């Protein structure tokens, strides 16, 4: 396996990182945005050797989009190997939160609660949820038929 030098640092939008998945193959992810303690990440579908990670992104669509803890990047558990921005940036989702009484309100990725939502608007938004970083290699193994697909992985899919 190619040696990757890790310099711990605050994750930045566009940072490309590696997630160990199986043997000498990794998943490639990219930071969409960083919010205190969390990162919104896009994970791409291919399993690659670490040396070809950044080049593997050209023309690819991400398969997973999720909010997770930033410590795996900040501490170098998932090493950062470059920085890349696609021609069209991935939009940061708006979430919903239930405020009682009053129903659902929109909520930004950094937790700011905004305007009230109609029931119809609320149906189209996810609850503000973060996931353990451990779900990424599990979902990638399942995507490639190396492990069973779990219902939790459906919530990570970018195409839903």
């Amino acid at each position: 396996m190619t040696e990757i030098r890790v310099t711990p640092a605050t994750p930045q939008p566009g940072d490309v990182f590696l997630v160990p998945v199986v043997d000498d193959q990794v998943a490639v992810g990219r930071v969409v945005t960083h919010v205190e303690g969390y990162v919104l990440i896009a994970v791409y579908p291919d399993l690659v050797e670490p040396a070809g990670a950044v080049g593997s992104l050209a023309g690819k669509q991400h398969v997973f989009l999720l909010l997770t803890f930033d410590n795996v990047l900040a501490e170098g558990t998932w090493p950062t190997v470059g920085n890349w921005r696609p021609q069209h940036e991935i939009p940061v989702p708006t979430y919903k939160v239930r405020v009682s009484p009053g129903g659902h309100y929109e909520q930004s990725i950094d937790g700011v609660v905004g305007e009230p939502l109609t029931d119809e608007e609320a149906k189209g938004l996810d609850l503000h949820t973060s996931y353990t970083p451990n779900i990424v290699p599990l979902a990638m193994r399942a995507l490639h038929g190396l492990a069973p697909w779990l219902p939790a992985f459906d919530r990570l899919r970018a195409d839903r």
Side-chain angles (χ1 to χ4, degrees):
M1 186 168 183
T2 304
E3 181 180 342
I4 304 292
R5 294 184 184 264
V6 177
T7 305
T10 301
Q12 299 298 314
D15 281 353
V16 176
F17 58 88
L18 308 179
V19 181
V21 176
V22 61
D23 299 326
D24 287 344
Q25 293 189 317
V26 297
V28 181
R30 191 177 63 79
V31 174
V32 176
T33 193
H34 181 252
V35 181
E36 189 63 37
Y38 297 91
V39 284
L40 179 67
I41 61 170
V43 181
Y44 293 82
D46 296 333
L47 293 178
V48 300
E49 293 183 8
V54 177
S56 73
L57 296 180
K60 298 286 181 175
Q61 289 287 7
H62 60 291
V63 66
F64 298 125
L65 183 68
L66 65 141
L67 188 65
T68 191
F69 303 110
D70 69 356
N71 66 314
V72 289
L73 294 167
E75 297 170 1
T77 304
W78 292 353
T80 299
V81 295
N83 191 286
W84 175 75
R85 299 280 183 120
Q87 183 176 0
H88 302 286
E89 187 56 77
I90 298 165
V92 175
T94 298
Y95 301 98
K96 67 182 174 186
V97 62
R98 181 148 180 86
V99 178
S100 186
H104 287 98
Y105 286 73
E106 62 180 40
Q107 185 177 31
S108 67
I109 197 165
D110 58 358
V112 175
V113 176
E115 298 296 316
L117 298 168
T118 66
D119 289 342
E120 193 63 32
E121 290 170 326
K123 285 180 189 175
L125 299 176
D126 290 329
L127 292 169
H128 193 287
T129 305
S130 62
Y131 296 89
T132 174
N134 295 336
I135 201 167
V136 175
L138 296 174
M140 286 301 292
R141 284 187 200 106
L143 182 70
H144 289 276
L146 304 171
W149 186 266
L150 302 176
F153 304 152
D154 291 331
R155 293 190 298 272
L156 309 178
R157 292 198 61 103
D159 61 358
R160 58 183 185 89

